[in-house]
Amino acid sequence: MDEVRRIIDKLCDTSVLTRDEIITLLENHNPEIQAGLADKASATSQKYYGKKVFLRGLIEFTNYCKNDCYYCGIRCGNKNVERYRLSKEDILECASKGYELGFRTIVLQGGEDQYYTDDLMVDIIKSIKKAHPDVAITLGIGEKSYESYKAFFEAGADRYLLRHETADFEHYAKLHPAYLSPANRQQCLYNLKEIGFQTGAGFMVGSPYQTIENIADDLLFLKKLDPEMVGIGPFIPHKDSVFKDMEAGGLDMTLYLLSIIRLMLPTVLLPATTALGTINPRGRELGILAGANVIMPNLSPVGVRQKYLLYDNKICTGDEAAECMRCLSGRMERIGFEIDHGRGDNIKFGNNAD
């Protein structure tokens, strides 16, 4: 235990650990250590962002995807999915409703759908910015060329989410078909950083075949990349995926890793994800208490939410956005935090809401 305490003290003081130190910390995970780490992580989050929880209004605008990732419910090989696409007008209407509810970040998320050309995405981005100049736009639409990312950035997109999934190439090959390249995915993240996006990476906790060593490598990759956002959540199997019979990721390890990530990347924007709320009714509150500071309510039309299921039993698929907002606001207040209605930029970008 003395060695674990030394490692935790080093993490809090320097935000840097070696691979062996990370593995030791993960191997000695227990409730007492987790609780202490959560307190330190929450204090670190509050040092930079106070007791604010930033909102991201999520618009899941297409569930078509050209990829066949083995864990995903909307993979192209799943023939049981009822596919949909939102029109530009649908997307703008969702964004406007979100704006009226107080959202100042809109997240456009979808599968890798080639119907949405660069020109169409640029038009959508510019149209949202024209209607709501003070809104930050986050994209989560997968692997694109450097030129595509640059066009989106120049059109007005501010942030980009692209989970690296796993830093270990052998592990990556167990989760994805052979035509998908982990090297290319990582290069996309570096391209996004170079262009100027606030960039988000991340991974699933407890994904099939994941080892503690894999997680250590993920944390070291995140430290090297130094993203502005990190999204992690527990793996949850989907009934129509290759991994339908695999065990889900755990709540405690996810919370533990949220705290470690907060201490390794003190100013990072760190969501308490919907997946966390799916495996535990208080998952998002526990995530905030463990060092997270972002939540992402759904602004998609209620009629399509059941069709965008990356995993089974996803929560909030029937809630109206306003209803979800009231619920989340109350939940955050009960644990001593407050919803912030600003853009909620990473503090390194100097446009954080006060």
Side-chain angles (χ1 to χ4, degrees), residues 19 166-168 171 209-219:
R19 187 174 190 267
T166 173
D168 183 277
H171 185 217
Y209 313 112
Q210 185 183 66
T211 65
I212 283 180
E213 288 77 13
N214 292 151
I215 295 173
D217 289 336
D218 286 324
L219 296 175

Side-chain angles (χ1 to χ4, degrees), residues 49-56 270 272 284 288 292-296 328 332-333 335-342:
Y49 297 106
K51 285 186 168 288
K52 298 174 182 177
V53 176
F54 300 112
L55 288 176
R56 310 296 191 232
L270 194 59
R284 286 177 292 187
I288 297 299
N293 63 343
V294 172
I295 51 176
M296 301 176 69
L328 285 172
M332 294 303 109
E333 288 174 6
I335 60 170
F337 288 78
E338 60 176 340
I339 296 292
D340 185 277
H341 290 280

Side-chain angles (χ1 to χ4, degrees), residues 87-98:
S87 68
K88 172 189 169 183
E89 291 71 28
D90 292 333
I91 294 169
L92 292 176
E93 182 178 352
C94 291
S96 293
K97 286 182 178 178

Side-chain angles (χ1 to χ4, degrees), residues 139-353:
L139 302 178
I141 52 177
E143 297 177 31
K144 304 286 183 182
S145 69
Y146 187 99
E147 292 72 26
S148 296
Y149 288 148
K150 196 165 190 299
F152 301 155
F153 185 74
E154 290 175 350
D158 303 271
R159 309 179 188 133
Y160 204 103
L161 303 172
L162 183 70
R163 284 186 174 182
H164 68 278
E165 302 293 1
T166 173
D168 183 277
F169 284 19
E170 291 185 11
H171 185 217
Y172 190 94
K174 295 177 180 179
L175 304 178
H176 302 86
Y179 61 82
L180 291 175
S181 161
N184 183 68
R185 197 165 187 89
Q186 291 186 16
Q187 186 59 52
C188 284
L189 286 162
Y190 286 111
N191 289 346
L192 290 162
K193 290 273 289 184
E194 181 180 315
I195 288 166
F197 278 100
Q198 294 182 53
T199 302
F203 58 93
M204 293 178 293
V205 180
S207 63
Y209 313 112
Q210 185 183 66
T211 65
I212 283 180
E213 288 77 13
N214 292 151
I215 295 173
D217 289 336
D218 286 324
L219 296 175
L220 290 172
F221 173 76
L222 291 172
K223 186 65 178 177
K224 178 183 176 185
L225 178 68
D226 191 26
E228 286 70 42
M229 305 169 285
V230 170
I232 69 166
F235 163 73
I236 303 175
H238 188 282
K239 59 182 173 51
D240 294 318
S241 77
V242 176
F243 298 137
K244 62 183 179 181
D245 297 320
M246 302 293 273
E247 184 179 351
L251 173 70
D252 286 342
M253 181 55 79
T254 305
L255 296 173
Y256 194 50
L257 287 168
L258 283 172
S259 297
I260 293 171
I261 291 168
R262 167 60 65 200
L263 293 167
M264 290 185 77
L265 300 167
T267 67
V268 77
L269 293 165
L270 194 59
T273 61
T274 302
L276 200 56
T278 296
I279 65 168
N280 185 286
R282 294 191 69 245
R284 286 177 292 187
E285 290 97 314
L286 294 170
I288 297 299
L289 292 169
N293 63 343
V294 172
I295 51 176
M296 301 176 69
N298 203 322
L299 296 177
S300 307
V302 172
V304 303
R305 293 187 194 178
Q306 285 284 357
K307 303 172 187 176
Y308 196 92
L309 296 181
L310 307 184
Y311 50 82
D312 284 344
N313 303 313
K314 183 179 176 183
I315 59 171
C316 298
T317 56
D319 290 350
E320 294 286 353
E323 176 187 346
C324 187
M325 272 279 291
R326 286 192 294 271
C327 173
L328 285 172
S329 182
R331 283 170 171 256
M332 294 303 109
E333 288 174 6
R334 285 193 287 275
I335 60 170
F337 288 78
E338 60 176 340
I339 296 292
D340 185 277
H341 290 280
R343 282 171 46 114
D345 291 293
N346 186 293
I347 201 166
K348 292 187 292 185
F349 277 67
N351 194 30
N352 195 50

